[in-house]
Amino acid sequence: MSLEVARSLDYTPEVALLTAPIRDRVRSVIPEVEWAVHAPYVAAIQELKRRRNAVVLAHNYQTPEIFHGVADFTGDSLALAQQGARVEADVIVLAGVHFMAETAKILSPEKTVLIPDLRAGCSLAASITAADIRLLRERYPGVPVVTYVNTSAEVKAESDICCTSANAVAVVESLGVDRVIFLPDEYLGQYVASQTKVEVILWKGHCEVHERFTGQELRAYRAGQPDLLILAHPECPQDVLAEADFVGSTAAMIRRVGETRPRRVVMVTECSMSDNVAVEFPDVEFVRPCNLCPHMKQITLPRILHALETMQHEVVVDPAVALRARGAVERMLAVGRREGK
Ligand code: 13P
Ligand code: SF4
């Protein structure tokens, strides 16, 4: 059912008043002239969310007008999966990439899950198929398969357990084995191997955003600014992680800034995240190397509005695949619950 918003998308005094609290919050990262373009969409999306009983779940890499303007929940992949399982709404709009929307659908099959643009994929998810996993199982019989959530539902369905960057080490250790197959992120797998005594069989998948960072680049930042705190995502290559003061998921990096309140910080990850976090910490200087994820950037306010108006694009997962994938995701969530996370 299509629900066109009756209002125009002009920056009227009414829209300015309605959206003023958000404008004040994001003033440091969104100039006034840009806000005038975003605000009518923000107001229209807020209204349609109410009429549809919908929520917007937004990943930390979404742009600030989405992250601060229309999201009901924000977070890393783990937090979005947890919210996908417990959210009370008829409709979930996933402002993130396709595998995140699929995970929400797998955990909440009774809900309508929308992704505003079907092109929002992921280079890691594209690097492996379910058939690849079946071949690996033939080659390494009995070795458990741990799969990063950045994969399709079909790949999750072939896996023993999922993980995110926030819990990969805990998930691998929870299995109590001396060898695992870890898919598909080679660098995250190497990081897990460095933090555990478990032998990790790797796959050569990479995140096209994080693989671009280099250790040399970070050494150059540090040389110019010795008080710089370097936080890096474990999807980065090993020589990058070797230069970092802290390695963690996007949410863990944000927590680290809050706990340590550095004078200067560089978040070695997708570039919108620094904008989102800078809003919370005006006293911290963010050094911002700008590696954008082209998939995350397919999600825009006009496309979120269009999704809510037309109820497109609905994410559908074959129920038999979803049931098996759900087992792998729920086993991951249970590890977190055992650890109180
Ligand atoms: P997290 O937010 O779970 O750390 O994942 C980063 C990422 O690249 C998601 O696509
Ligand atoms: Fe995939 Fe990397 Fe983009 Fe995340 S940042 S969606 S891992 S390509």
Side-chain angles (χ1 to χ4, degrees), residues 17-326:
L17 193 67
L18 265 172
T19 58
I22 307 168
R23 181 202 59 208
D24 293 346
R25 195 166 153 71
V26 299
R27 205 183 277 281
S28 61
V29 291
I30 303 182
E32 190 68 34
V33 54
E34 256 185 53
W35 183 249
V37 178
H38 296 314
Y41 285 98
V42 169
I45 290 167
Q46 298 290 18
E47 185 184 324
L48 258 189
K49 281 199 301 187
R50 279 191 293 277
R51 286 159 64 181
R52 291 283 195 202
N53 188 24
V55 292
V56 173
L57 305 190
H59 186 261
N60 291 328
Y61 295 161
Q62 292 295 295
T63 47
E65 68 278 7
I66 295 174
F67 187 92
H68 293 287
V70 298
D72 298 282
F73 300 98
T74 56
D76 62 1
S77 311
L78 179 61
L80 296 185
Q82 288 163 335
Q83 281 300 340
R86 69 168 83 110
V87 84
E88 300 264 345
D90 296 325
V91 179
I92 295 173
V93 180
L94 206 304
V97 292
H98 196 264
F99 75 79
M100 295 174 177
E102 270 192 344
T103 306
K105 183 68 185 175
I106 288 165
L107 291 169
S108 291
E110 72 294 350
K111 298 200 171 87
T112 301
V113 177
L114 304 175
I115 181 112
D117 194 306
L118 283 170
R119 289 168 299 181
C122 169
S123 64
L124 280 168
S127 73
I128 190 155
T129 65
D132 292 327
I133 301 203
R134 288 192 289 272
L135 283 174
L136 281 164
R137 282 200 190 274
E138 275 174 31
R139 192 186 302 172
Y140 301 102
V143 181
V145 174
V146 180
T147 296
Y148 196 25
V149 283
N150 298 37
T151 44
S152 68
E154 287 78 10
V155 165
K156 289 184 178 74
E158 295 291 336
S159 308
D160 293 295
I161 189 165
C162 286
C163 71
T164 74
S165 58
N167 60 21
V169 170
V171 164
V172 167
E173 284 185 331
S174 77
L175 298 174
V177 294
D178 53 16
R179 202 150 81 125
V180 299
I181 300 170
F182 189 96
L183 309 165
D185 188 341
E186 182 183 25
Y187 299 141
L188 179 61
Q190 285 171 342
Y191 175 69
V192 169
S194 76
Q195 302 296 304
T196 66
K197 292 194 168 65
V198 180
E199 183 195 339
V200 178
I201 298 163
L202 298 165
W203 186 256
K204 280 207 170 300
H206 298 142
C207 162
E208 66 187 272
V209 177
H210 291 92
E211 73 175 347
R212 294 211 298 271
F213 291 104
T214 63
Q216 192 186 14
E217 184 184 352
L218 297 199
R219 281 191 292 280
Y221 287 133
R222 181 118 46 207
Q225 306 165 81
D227 60 350
L228 183 69
L229 179 71
I230 300 183
L231 311 180
H233 194 278
E235 289 173 9
C236 294
Q238 277 183 308
D239 67 322
V240 172
L241 300 187
E243 297 299 328
D245 299 304
F246 174 80
V247 176
S249 78
T250 55
M253 281 192 244
I254 297 170
R255 275 198 302 277
R256 194 74 175 187
V257 173
E259 284 160 9
T260 58
R261 293 294 176 110
R263 210 155 78 83
R264 284 202 189 93
V265 65
V266 59
M267 294 179 141
V268 186
T269 192
E270 211 267 355
C271 117
S272 290
M273 196 166 98
S274 291
D275 290 340
N276 294 332
V277 184
V279 168
E280 313 282 351
F281 303 106
D283 50 328
V284 177
E285 184 190 326
F286 287 80
V287 177
R288 301 176 204 206
C290 205
N291 284 356
L292 284 170
C293 173
H295 310 288
M296 290 280 178
K297 265 55 226 185
Q298 295 298 336
I299 310 301
T300 61
L301 288 177
R303 288 176 189 163
I304 293 174
L305 179 60
H306 187 255
L308 282 164
E309 283 174 343
T310 62
M311 298 296 277
Q312 286 180 344
H313 302 275
E314 187 171 351
V315 175
V316 182
V317 183
D318 175 86
V321 172
L323 194 66
R324 291 168 62 219
R326 185 177 176 135

